[in-house]
Amino acid sequence: MARNKHPEETINQILNVSLSLFMEKGYEQTSIQDIINGLGGLTKGAIYHHFKSKEDIMLAVIEQLYKGVDDNLIAIRDDKALNGLDKLRRIIRVSLNNPVQLEMMSTAPNLLNNPRMLAAQMQSVIEDAVPIYIQPIIEQGIADGSIQTDYPKELSETIMLLSSLWLTPLIFEAPAEDMLRRCRFFQIVLQGLGLDLLDEQMIDRYAEFYRLYSEKI
């Protein structure tokens, strides 16, 4: 494959091939040479012109996967017609219904075997999702009375870490029945904190993730 004259197209080609390889082989087992071979002629120098390392490629792949989601989350956060609790419910619903989630569950390997990708996900939760979306919404909920807590930051982190890590089969493999129990327990924990967030549709969606993941292993 001749080098593309348009850098953006070249970057997209690198990311698409890399994503396919990461999902098939795992991040650690994929080499830069594997990526080069998949691109059919693009040189190592051309790849390093756009990315400093394989880790940079991986981070760009994750960013590309969730591209467009940010706009939806910002719109929810800034919607003046909703109170804080309603915004939080809508954020969870939008995240669960994101088509990328289904793609990840049906193709991705266990993230415990891909520690760099797991670390990137955890970093994204703590450094991006919590301060940009979740904590501002919870603070609004405190102000409008729909959420009661003296610990907005800690509550935000707890919600995101449990929902993004503990409730994903990409990290903790389990039968769908066990997943349902986790969701029920998570629901009870949140209700004990004064947050009635999960409904039956959301819980069924989590269970669907586990069914999809179990079908491929």
Side-chain angles (χ1 to χ4, degrees), residues 40 61 97 160 187 192 201:
V61 164
N97 290 327
M160 289 306 299
Q187 185 180 39
Q201 186 178 20

Side-chain angles (χ1 to χ4, degrees), residues 119-157:
Q121 180 166 332
M122 293 180 66
Q123 183 178 24
S124 176
V125 167
I126 296 300
E127 296 184 2
D128 297 326
V130 167
I132 296 174
Y133 308 113
I134 307 304
Q135 187 174 342
I137 288 174
I138 287 181
E139 288 174 346
Q140 180 198 326
I142 294 170
D144 65 34
S146 62
I147 297 174
Q148 289 78 44
T149 181
D150 294 327
Y151 302 94
K153 182 175 186 293
E154 292 75 14
L155 179 58
S156 302
E157 291 174 347

